C-alpha cells in the first residue's frame, strides 16, 4: 500500500509539460500573444509611423529596442553600457535592504499584534496614526533626519513596505480559525508552542500576500524617492534622461523598471509557494 | 488563548474590556508624544543631540505653527487644490476602470486580449510615468491627472476582476433557472456581487491616488504656474527651512487621506445594506 | 480487533452539577445552559443530542476549558475542573477534543499532527513520537497517507487521523463535537465502525455531541436528550445493547424501539427550536 504513493506522483517536468500541452489547446495563449502584439503595433504606429500629436513626442518600440541593443548607443545608454547595469543594481540593492528591514520588523510586529490583545492595544494606535501620512510626505523629514542620499531613500521604501507587511500579518493572525488554537490547547501546548505551531504557519498565506503587495509598494516609494533626490537608480535614470531630453533612454528605463519589478514580485511569490507546500498540494487535489 | 476566546468570558467584562483598549491606546499615544517632545528638547536641555528624533520639531512647536497656518487662506487653498486633483483623477479611474474590469470579467475574449498588455505595464510604478506624461500631455495639470488616473486604475481593475470572478456560480444558476436574460444577470447579480470589491478597490485606490498627487505636486510643482496643493505646501516649507510647518503639512495630508477613505467607506456602507447585519 | 476486552475503565468519570452558563453577545444576556446536571461514568459512551443551537456545545466547551461557566461545578475523577473560584477549566491533554469541521493542522502532515501532543508535552522525543504516531496510524489503516497533508486526503481519513491524534495522548475523556456532521451517510457508517473499534480497544470515556439520533443510539451507552435553549437535561435513554456492535444492529427490533423512544422527546424540542427561529449559536 505504501509504495504506490511514491511512483504515482508526477515529476515536476512531466506536470509542466502536461499543463503546457493542455494550455496550448485553449485560445488563451494565442489571445495573449495577439493582445500583446496588437498593443505593440498600435504603440509603434502611433509614435513612429503615423506620428500623430501628441504621440510623436514619445519614442516608439522600434526606436527603444534599437537603442537598447546598440553597442554604441546614440544617447549613451544601452544594454551594453556599464551605467545601465549600475542603475539597475543600485535600485535593486536598495529594494533588497528596504524589503529585508521592513519584513524583519513588520512580520514580528504583526504577529505579536495579532497574537496579544494587550500588545495590539498599545502598538496599533501609533501605527494607525502614522499610516495615513503618504510616504512621500516624509521626504523632507527623511532628508533632515538622515545624512546623505542613500539612507533617506531606503528609509522611505522601508516605511511604505513596513506598514503594509505589519498590517497584513496582523490581519492574517486574526483570521486564523479559532479551532486550531483550541486544538493546540487541548493537546497540552504551552504558549510558545502555540505561537510557533499555529500562529506562524496559520498566518503564512496572509503574510505572503502582504509581502507581494509590500514589494510593489516599496518599488513605488523607491522610484519616487529616487526621482526627487537621487543619484543613480532607475528612478533617477528616468528623471535624469527626461531632464536632458534623452527620451529613448527614459522609456528604456521605464520598461526595465517594469521588468525588474515583475521579477522581484515573482520571486516573493515563489518563495511563498515553497514555504507553503501544504497549500500547493491541497490546491492540486481540489483544483480550480 | 486568543483575543476572541478571552472576550467570551462574561458579558460584563466586554464593556470594561473595550474601555481598556481605548485607555491603553490613549496612554500609548501620549507616551509617544512625550518621548518625541523630550527627544527634541534634549539638545536644549543637555546639549546632546538625540539621533534622528532630535531633529524633528517637537509637538508643541507643531501645534503652535498649526494655529498660525490655519488662519492663512493659502493653506486652505492647498487643501482645495489637492482634493480637487485627487477627486478628479480618482473619479476618472473609477469611470474607466470599473467597466473595463467588468468587461474583462464577463467576456473571456476581451480578457484574453487586454489582460496581458495590462499586466505587462502594471509593474511600472505610476510615478515612473510622470516625465513621459509631461511630454505627452499639453498642460502640467493634465499630466498630473493622467498619472493619478493610472495609479488608481490598476487597483480598481484588479479588484473588480477578482470580485466578479469570485461570485458564487450558484447565484448565477439560480437566476438563470428563474428565467433571467444576460442583461438581467449582469445588472442584478454580477453588479451587486462585485460592489464590495469595487469599494475595496476604491478605498485602496484612494490611498494610492493621494501618494501620486503628492508626488506629482512635489516633483512637477515646486513653484510653477499650476503649483499649489498640499504637496507643494510641504515642499516649499522644506525649502524655506520651516520644519514645523512641514510637519503641519504632513499631518494635514494624513488627515485629508483619512477623510477621503472614510467617505468611501461610508458610501460603501449605505450602498450595500445587506452587509449591515454584520 | 480485540473482542470481549476485559479492561475495567478507571478514569474519565465526569460529574456535571448544576451548571449554568450565561453570556453576553452584544449586550443581550443569553442563558445557554440552565442548571444542568449530569453524571458520566468512567469508560462510558455518553451521547448528547438536542436541536441545533441549544447549548450542547457549551457544555463540551466548559469541560475542555474553552469557555467558563457562570454557576455550578464540573469534576473529573473527583477533582474540580471548574467551579466556584475557578470558572474556567485549564485546557489539557486529558480531555482532547475532535472538532466539527476538523482541526488537523493543515501545515503539518498527518504523522506530524498525531505526534504533536506527546512532543509539546515533553513526554517523548520527536523521533519516538513519530514512530508511535506511525504505528497508531497503521492500526487505523492510515499508514499509506501518513506523510500527506490534511488537504490531500479525504475528510473521512482526516477525521480518523484527528481521533488518532487525540488518542496518542491516552486521554481520560474524548470530546467529540458533531465530528461526522458534514459527511455523507456512507462515510459516516465507516467512521462509526472505526470509532467503535477504537472504543472497544481503549475504553476511553467518550462525550459525543450529535443531532443524528441513529448515530447516538448506535454508538452510545446512554443518550441524553437536551431541551432547547437554555439547555437542561430532558430525558436520558439507556442503550443496553452489548458490545461489540456492528451495522446489523441498525435493522434490529430493539434498535427501532430505542430510536422511537428518543425521537419523541427530541421532536418536541426540535419543534420549539424551529418556532423560536433564533440564529444558531453554533
Amino acid at each position: 500500500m505504501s509504495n504506490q504513493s511514491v511512483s504515482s506522483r508526477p515529476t515536476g517536468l512531466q506536470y509542466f509539460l502536461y499543463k503546457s500541452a493542455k494550455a496550448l489547446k485553449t485560445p488563451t495563449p494565442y489571445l495573449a500573444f495577439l493582445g500583446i502584439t496588437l498593443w505593440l503595433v498600435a504603440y509603434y504606429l502611433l509614435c513612429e509611423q503615423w506620428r500623430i500629436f501628441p504621440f510623436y513626442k514619445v519614442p516608439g518600440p522600434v526606436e527603444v529596442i534599437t537603442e537598447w541593443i546598440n553597442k554604441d548607443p546614440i544617447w549613451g545608454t544601452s544594454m551594453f553600457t556599464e551605467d545601465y547595469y549600475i542603475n539597475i543594481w543600485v535600485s535593486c540593492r536598495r529594494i533588497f535592504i528596504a524589503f529585508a528591514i521592513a519584513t524583519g520588523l513588520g512580520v514580528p510586529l504583526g504577529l505579536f499584534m495579532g497574537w496579544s490583545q494587550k500588545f495590539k492595544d498599545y502598538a496599533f494606535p501609533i501605527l494607525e496614526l502614522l499610516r495615513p501620512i503618504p510616504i512621500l510626505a516624509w521626504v523632507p523629514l527623511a532628508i533632515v533626519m538622515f545624512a546623505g542620499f542613500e539612507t533617506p531613500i531606503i528609509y522611505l521604501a522601508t516605511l511604505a513596505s513596513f506598514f503594509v507587511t505589519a498590517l497584513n500579518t496582523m490581519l492574517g493572525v486574526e483570521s486564523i480559525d479559532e479551532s486550531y488554537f483550541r486544538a493546540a490547547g487541548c493537546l497540552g501546548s504551552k504558549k510558545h508552542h502555540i505561537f510557533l505551531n499555529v500562529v506562524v504557519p496559520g498566518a503564512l498565506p496572509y503574510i505572503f500576500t502582504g509581502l507581494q503587495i509590500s514589494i510593489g509598494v516599496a518599488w513605488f516609494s523607491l522610484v519616487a524617492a529616487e526621482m526627487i533626490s537621487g543619484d543613480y537608480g532607475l528612478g533617477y535614470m528616468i528623471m535624469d534622461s527626461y531632464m536632458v531630453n534623452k527620451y529613448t533612454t527614459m522609456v528604456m528605463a521605464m520598461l526595465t523598471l517594469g521588468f525588474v519589478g515583475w521579477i522581484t514580485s515573482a520571486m516573493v511569490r515563489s518563495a511563498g509557494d515553497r514555504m507553503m507546500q501544504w497549500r500547493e498540494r491541497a490546491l492540486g487535489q481540489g483544483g480550480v | 488563548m486568543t483575543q476572541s476566546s478571552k472576550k467570551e468570558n462574561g458579558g460584563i467584562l466586554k464593556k470594561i474590556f473595550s474601555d481598556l483598549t481605548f485607555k491603553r491606546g490613549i496612554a500609548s499615544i501620549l507616551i509617544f508624544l512625550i518621548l518625541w517632545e523630550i527627544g527634541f528638547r534634549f539638545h536644549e536641555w543637555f546639549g546632546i543631540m538625540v539621533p534622528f528624533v532630535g531633529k524633528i520639531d517637537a509637538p508643541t512647536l507643531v501645534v503652535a505653527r498649526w494655529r498660525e497656518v490655519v488662519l492663512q487662506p493659502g493653506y486652505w487653498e492647498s487643501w482645495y487644490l489637492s482634493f480637487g486633483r485627487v477627486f478628479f483623477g480618482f473619479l476618472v479611474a473609477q469611470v474607466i476602470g470599473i467597466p473595463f474590469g467588468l468587461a474583462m470579467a464577463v467576456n473571456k475574449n476581451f480578457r484574453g486580449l487586454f489582460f496581458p498588455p495590462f499586466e505587462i505595464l502594471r509593474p511600472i510604478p505610476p510615478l515612473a510615468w510622470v516625465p513621459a506624461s509631461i511630454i505627452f500631455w499639453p498642460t502640467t495639470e493634465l499630466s498630473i491627472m493622467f498619472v493619478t488616473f493610472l495609479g488608481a486604475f490598476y487597483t480598481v481593475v484588479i479588484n473588480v476582476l477578482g470580485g466578479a470572478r469570485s461570485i458564487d456560480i450558484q447565484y448565477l444558476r439560480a437566476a438563470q433557472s428563474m428565467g433571467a436574460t444576460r442583461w438581467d444577470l449582469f445588472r442584478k447579480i454580477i453588479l451587486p456581487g462585485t460592489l464590495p470589491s469595487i469599494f475595496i478597490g476604491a478605498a485602496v485606490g484612494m490611498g494610492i491616488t493621494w501618494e501620486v498627487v503628492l508626488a506629482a505636486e512635489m516633483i512637477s510643482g515646486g513653484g510653477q504656474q499650476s503649483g499649489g496643493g498640499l504637496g507643494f505646501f510641504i515642499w516649499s516649507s522644506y525649502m524655506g527651512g520651516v520644519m514645523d510647518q512641514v510637519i503641519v503639512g504632513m499631518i494635514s495630508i494624513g488627515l485629508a487621506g483619512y477623510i477621503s477613505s472614510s467617505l468611501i467607506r461610508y458610501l460603501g456602507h449605505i450602498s450595500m445594506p445587506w452587509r449591515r447585519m454584520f | 480487533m480485540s473482542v470481549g476486552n476485559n479492561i475495567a475503565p478507571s478514569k474519565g468519570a465526569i460529574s456535571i452539577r448544576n451548571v449554568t452558563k450565561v453570556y453576553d453577545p452584544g449586550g443581550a444576556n443569553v442563558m445557554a445552559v440552565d442548571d444542568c446536571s449530569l453524571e458520566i461514568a468512567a469508560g462510558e459512551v455518553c451521547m448528547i443530542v438536542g436541536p441545533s443551537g441549544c447549548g450542547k456545545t457549551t457544555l463540551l466547551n466548559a469541560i475542555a476549558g474553552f469557555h467558563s461557566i457562570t454557576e455550578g461545578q464540573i469534576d473529573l475523577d473527583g477533582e474540580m475542573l471548574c467551579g466556584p473560584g475557578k470558572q474556567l477549566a485549564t485546557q489539557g491533554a486529558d480531555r482532547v477534543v475532535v472538532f466539527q469541521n476538523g482541526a488537523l493542522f493543515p501545515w503539518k502532515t498527518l504523522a506530524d499532527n498525531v505526534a504533536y501532543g506527546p512532543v509539546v508535552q515533553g513526554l517523548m522525543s520527536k523521533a519516538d513520537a513519530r514512530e508511535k504516531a506511525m504505528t497508531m496510524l497503521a492500526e487505523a489503516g492510515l499508514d499509506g497517507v501518513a506523510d500527506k497533508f490534511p488537504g490531500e486526503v479525504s475528510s473521512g481519513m482526516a477525521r480518523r487521523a484527528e481521533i488518532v491524534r487525540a488518542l496518542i495522548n491516552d486521554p481520560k475523556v474524548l470530546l467529540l463535537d458533531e465530528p461526522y456532521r458534514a459527511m455523507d451517510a456512507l462515510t459516516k457508517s465507516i467512521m462509526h465502525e472505526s470509532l467503535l473499534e477504537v472504543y472497544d480497544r481503549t475504553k476511553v470515556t467518550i462525550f459525543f455531541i450529535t443531532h443524528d439520533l441513529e448515530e447516538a443510539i448506535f454508538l452510545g451507552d446512554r443518550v441524553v436528550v437536551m431541551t432547547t435553549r437554555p439547555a437542561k437535561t430532558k430525558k436520558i435513554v439507556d442503550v443496553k445493547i452489548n458490545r461489540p456492535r456492528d451495522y446489523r444492529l441498525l435493522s434490529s427490533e430493539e434498535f427501532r424501539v430505542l430510536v422511537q423512544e428518543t425521537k419523541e422527546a427530541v421532536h418536541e424540542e426540535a419543534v420549539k427550536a424551529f418556532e423560536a427561529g433564533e440564529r444558531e449559536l453554533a
Side-chain angles (χ1 to χ4, degrees), chain A residues 114 117 121-122 134-136 178, chain B residues 2-4 21 24 28 215 253:
Chain A
Q117 182 66 37
D121 284 344
Y122 284 120
I135 302 300
L136 291 170
E178 178 75 29
Chain B
T2 60
Q3 302 103 289
S4 47
T21 307
R24 283 177 179 155
S28 175
I253 285 207

Side-chain angles (χ1 to χ4, degrees), chain C residues 43-56:
Chain C
E44 179 184 318
V45 180
C46 181
M47 311 295 290
I48 314 279
V49 301
S52 290
C54 74
K56 354 186 250 287

Side-chain angles (χ1 to χ4, degrees), chain B residues 56-75:
Chain B
I56 311 177
D57 283 29
T60 44
L61 289 176
V62 172
V63 170
R65 176 69 62 184
W66 202 325
R67 293 162 82 188
E68 260 183 60
V69 159
V70 164
L71 301 170
Q72 299 165 7
Y75 173 69

Side-chain angles (χ1 to χ4, degrees), chain A residues 35 54-55 57 114 117-118 121-122 126 134-137 143-146 178 181 224 227 239 242 247 250 258, chain B residues 2-4 21 24 28 52 55-56 113 116 123-124 127 131 134-136 211 214-215 218-219 238 243 250 253:
Chain A
F55 287 97
K57 294 196 214 163
Q117 182 66 37
K118 193 173 181 191
D121 284 344
Y122 284 120
I126 300 184
I135 302 300
L136 291 170
I143 297 178
V144 166
M145 282 200 289
F146 305 106
E178 178 75 29
F181 288 102
M227 287 172 87
M239 203 54 178
Y242 160 71
Y247 297 151
M250 182 187 81
Chain B
T2 60
Q3 302 103 289
S4 47
T21 307
R24 283 177 179 155
S28 175
F52 311 132
K55 301 199 185 130
I56 311 177
L113 212 56
I124 303 177
L127 287 172
I134 296 179
I135 299 170
F136 184 79
E211 293 267 2
L214 186 54
M218 286 166 98
I219 296 175
Y238 167 63
M243 288 313 291
M250 284 169 71
I253 285 207

Side-chain angles (χ1 to χ4, degrees), chain A residues 138-177:
Chain A
W138 286 89
V139 169
L141 220 61
I143 297 178
V144 166
M145 282 200 289
F146 305 106
F149 270 127
E150 207 63 20
T151 321
I153 295 179
I154 297 182
Y155 170 73
L156 292 168
T158 313
L159 197 66
S161 179
F162 170 77
F163 281 130
V164 171
T165 306
L167 204 69
N168 270 281
T169 307
M170 182 186 84
L171 290 174
V173 174
E174 290 177 347
S175 311
I176 300 176
D177 198 326

Side-chain angles (χ1 to χ4, degrees), chain A:
Chain A
M1 201 180 359
S2 24
N3 22 358
Q4 245 182 20
S5 43
V6 178
S7 52
S8 61
R9 176 167 288 160
T11 63
L13 182 63
Q14 283 176 314
Y15 189 63
F16 177 71
L17 287 174
Y18 168 71
K19 281 219 123 181
S20 310
K22 223 172 159 217
L24 281 172
K25 295 197 190 121
T26 68
T28 321
Y30 302 109
L31 275 177
F33 186 68
L34 189 63
I36 297 176
T37 319
L38 271 177
W39 170 76
L40 275 171
V41 167
Y43 176 26
Y44 169 70
L45 289 173
L46 286 168
C47 297
E48 288 184 61
Q49 193 73 341
W50 297 336
R51 309 204 135 242
I52 2 176
F53 178 85
F55 287 97
Y56 69 77
K57 294 196 214 163
V58 180
V62 175
E63 264 187 75
V64 174
I65 296 187
T66 335
E67 177 76 353
W68 193 53
I69 56 179
N70 195 338
K71 291 221 173 108
D72 185 21
I74 314 168
W75 301 107
T77 310
S78 77
M79 64 184 275
F80 293 105
T81 57
E82 202 191 348
D83 65 328
Y84 182 62
Y85 294 102
I86 295 182
N87 281 315
I88 296 179
W89 165 241
V90 169
S91 282
C92 285
R93 192 193 66 207
R94 288 169 176 160
I95 282 288
F96 288 144
I97 298 177
F99 189 66
I101 300 178
T103 308
L105 290 176
V107 169
L109 193 77
L111 287 174
F112 283 120
M113 285 205 291
W115 173 225
S116 156
Q117 182 66 37
K118 193 173 181 191
F119 189 81
K120 180 178 174 181
D121 284 344
Y122 284 120
F124 194 59
I126 300 184
L127 220 75
E128 281 299 279
L129 218 61
L130 294 175
R131 198 165 59 95
I133 302 175
I135 302 300
L136 291 170
W138 286 89
V139 169
L141 220 61
I143 297 178
V144 166
M145 282 200 289
F146 305 106
F149 270 127
E150 207 63 20
T151 321
I153 295 179
I154 297 182
Y155 170 73
L156 292 168
T158 313
L159 197 66
S161 179
F162 170 77
F163 281 130
V164 171
T165 306
L167 204 69
N168 270 281
T169 307
M170 182 186 84
L171 290 174
V173 174
E174 290 177 347
S175 311
I176 300 176
D177 198 326
E178 178 75 29
S179 312
Y180 298 125
F181 288 102
R182 290 180 174 178
C186 73
L187 286 166
S189 318
K190 298 248 170 40
K191 277 203 160 172
H192 67 270
H193 292 130
I194 299 188
F195 188 78
L196 289 171
N197 289 289
V198 181
V199 173
V200 174
L204 225 48
Y206 299 91
I207 293 179
F208 273 98
T209 310
L211 286 179
Q212 285 186 60
I213 302 176
S214 99
I215 198 159
V217 163
W219 272 112
F220 183 99
S221 312
L222 183 76
V223 169
E226 282 179 349
M227 287 172 87
I228 296 178
S229 63
D231 57 343
Y232 297 115
L234 286 165
Y236 166 76
M237 188 173 151
I238 294 176
M239 203 54 178
D240 181 60
S241 35
Y242 160 71
M243 292 295 200
V244 294
N245 296 353
K246 287 201 238 170
Y247 297 151
T248 319
T249 316
M250 182 187 81
V251 176
M252 207 190 308
M254 284 169 72
L255 292 172
T256 313
L257 187 57
F259 181 69
V260 176
W262 174 76
I263 291 206
T264 48
S265 226
M267 279 166 67
V268 172
R269 204 175 328 133
S270 80
D273 288 344
R274 300 210 123 241
M275 288 188 76
M276 295 187 287
Q277 273 292 308
W278 76 86
R279 273 197 134 200
E280 283 306 288
R281 304 221 224 151
L283 285 174
Q285 293 279 319
V288 163

